[in-house]
Amino acid sequence: MTGAHFSLILLPTLACNADCEYCFENKSPQRLTLEQLTVLIEKVMDFLEEQHIGRLSLYWQGGEVMTLPPEWFEQADIIIRRSAEARKKEVVNYLQSNMIGYSGTWNRVIAEMFGNSVGSSMDFPNLHRRLTVGGPEEYEALWARNVREAREAGIRVSVIAIPNEKTLEIGAERFYSHFVDQLGISDFQINTPFPGGSANRVKDGYPLEAERLGRFLLDLATVWMERGFDKGVQLGPFDRLMKYFVHGCKDLLCIWQDNCVNGFVCVDPQGHVSPCDCWAASYPEFRYGNIFGSDSLYDILRLSDARQRLRERPELLIQREDCIDCSYLGICHGGCPVRAYTVTGDLNRKDPYCSVYKTLFEGMERIGACRT
Ligand code: SF4
Ligand code: SF4
Ligand code: SF4
């Protein structure tokens, strides 16, 4: 991996205080200790030095990060700052949390370590996000209360939403109003669900029906353009697609990168190194190695068969699928490998949301053309 920037998704725990029906994690009480974090960070810094990389983005995810105490993160911040300073590297930390365990005791570390910003998740209507002891209503009420308190404390909360059957039924207008007008969220993103991890009734319904999902997304893009675009509401992936089609700026989601395997590495609490959090806990066959069992992260990446298979995907995909004839190959590259693998069992197939993406690309290109 080369370049001036390295992205590491760090899962300090696979424990979670929720029990969402579409969760792809194989949850476990395993936690990273501060001693292990120290070792891990030093190995990552060695890697940055070897590769002449100056900047590290650390994406803290889980499980649920807030099942660890805020004091753990205060110590983690000290460890990382010391190491970064000694190696003359820049580190930026990003926090992803379900906010179920949030309280004011988190405010200091969120301000000092995470730039007063948290990424969270909520759906509308919420059917599948549940507490370990409580259903979707209890989850949503607790989430809304905690997000409100966090925002009152000055914390910026962005949201990732996963559409479901009911979302498609209620339509884009109500969906947009719920997040922007009712909850006051001005930065959110729509992700597509996939049947990762162990099977269940909810995941049997994935992928969502492409035509309805495509129509919903285009309607949502239209609502956003009419009501939010000029007011600075950020709504992904439409905002990034607009930037691409209007300004040629190729800062797209991971699912549309040339090959995400070159952009991300994930480490779980046991030190297993994987392509991203979607693979980490449920697909051990795609692990690259273990950071605590090797002297060099570079060697783990260089010698991994699983990583090599993922690197070869775009080329093999083109031989087997019709992507070569697609006008959007240059921004899609066949889509997300974990979505392809979990739906087809074959890494070298195109993303099962292909037709949704095409609808979206065509629609956003058209909308972008009206803006130029
Ligand atoms: S909050 Fe995340 S990790 Fe926890 S159950 Fe829900 S989807 Fe899974
Ligand atoms: S496997 Fe999919 S979700 Fe994971 S980084 Fe790649 S594109 Fe993103
Ligand atoms: S939109 Fe579909 S056909 Fe086009 S590159 Fe993406 S996966 Fe391939």
Side-chain angles (χ1 to χ4, degrees), residues 13-288:
T13 177
L14 287 173
C16 188
N17 47 17
D19 189 19
C20 307
E21 292 175 301
Y22 51 41
C23 183
F24 51 69
E25 301 283 13
N26 185 7
K27 294 189 275 294
S28 77
Q30 209 84 40
R31 291 171 168 199
L32 194 68
T33 65
L34 289 168
E35 292 70 30
Q36 287 173 318
L37 177 71
T38 307
V39 174
L40 190 157
I41 290 295
E42 287 309 311
K43 291 191 179 184
V44 172
M45 291 293 167
D46 290 345
F47 173 78
L48 299 184
E49 280 188 350
E50 282 159 22
Q51 298 299 302
H52 309 290
I53 296 173
R55 199 154 52 91
L56 170 67
S57 292
L58 266 180
Y59 296 90
W60 293 84
Q61 298 180 199
E64 167 49 37
V65 286
M66 288 191 188
T67 58
L68 288 161
E71 295 76 22
W72 190 94
F73 281 89
E74 284 170 7
Q75 292 305 311
D77 193 26
I78 292 169
I79 290 167
I80 294 164
R81 278 177 198 270
R82 271 194 198 134
S83 180
E85 209 178 296
R87 307 289 194 112
K88 298 190 173 38
K89 303 292 176 193
E90 182 192 353
V91 180
V92 182
N93 295 287
Y94 300 91
L95 179 62
Q96 182 73 28
S97 163
N98 64 21
M99 293 297 278
I100 294 302
Y102 168 81
S103 70
T105 58
W106 281 91
N107 290 354
R108 193 171 74 185
V109 76
I110 291 174
E112 290 176 2
M113 185 172 176
F114 298 104
N116 230 13
S117 187
V118 183
S120 191
S121 304
M122 180 45 77
D123 310 332
F124 183 68
N126 178 38
L127 303 183
H128 306 309
R129 300 196 73 85
R130 294 163 177 261
L131 299 172
T132 42
V133 279
E137 295 81 15
E138 287 85 0
Y139 186 105
E140 189 167 353
L142 187 51
W143 181 86
R145 190 199 72 189
N146 289 351
V147 166
R148 191 175 55 247
E149 283 181 17
R151 296 182 69 215
E152 282 166 6
I155 296 169
R156 286 179 304 281
V157 182
S158 58
V159 174
I160 290 176
I162 307 282
N164 55 51
E165 278 297 324
K166 290 275 178 221
T167 311
L168 307 187
E169 252 171 66
I170 60 157
E173 176 65 42
R174 277 187 64 196
F175 182 87
Y176 184 90
S177 291
H178 176 76
F179 282 107
V180 180
D181 303 334
Q182 288 168 25
L183 295 177
I185 301 289
S186 57
D187 182 355
F188 65 116
Q189 177 178 312
I190 316 297
N191 278 5
T192 53
F194 62 92
S198 54
N200 64 23
R201 179 190 52 83
V202 171
K203 294 179 199 172
D204 286 349
Y206 300 155
L208 292 177
E209 208 246 297
E211 202 185 320
R212 292 178 68 217
L213 179 58
R215 204 175 325 125
F216 169 80
L217 291 176
L218 268 195
D219 288 348
L220 186 58
T222 306
V223 174
W224 170 66
M225 285 304 296
E226 287 169 2
R227 294 177 45 194
F229 181 77
D230 290 328
K231 291 185 187 149
V233 174
Q234 290 173 273
L235 176 47
F238 315 119
D239 47 3
R240 295 190 196 205
L241 286 172
M242 272 295 279
K243 280 188 194 149
Y244 173 73
F245 286 119
V246 175
H247 304 294
C249 170
K250 221 172 173 183
D251 175 25
L252 297 168
L253 301 182
C254 61
I255 53 173
W256 297 323
Q257 290 187 0
D258 305 10
N259 191 342
C260 64
V261 77
N262 298 323
F264 298 94
V265 168
C266 176
V267 179
D268 77 8
Q270 288 175 283
H272 299 304
V273 183
S274 307
C276 81
D277 53 308
C278 301
W279 300 96
S282 299
Y283 300 97
E285 66 273 28
F286 281 92
R287 283 177 188 154
Y288 300 159

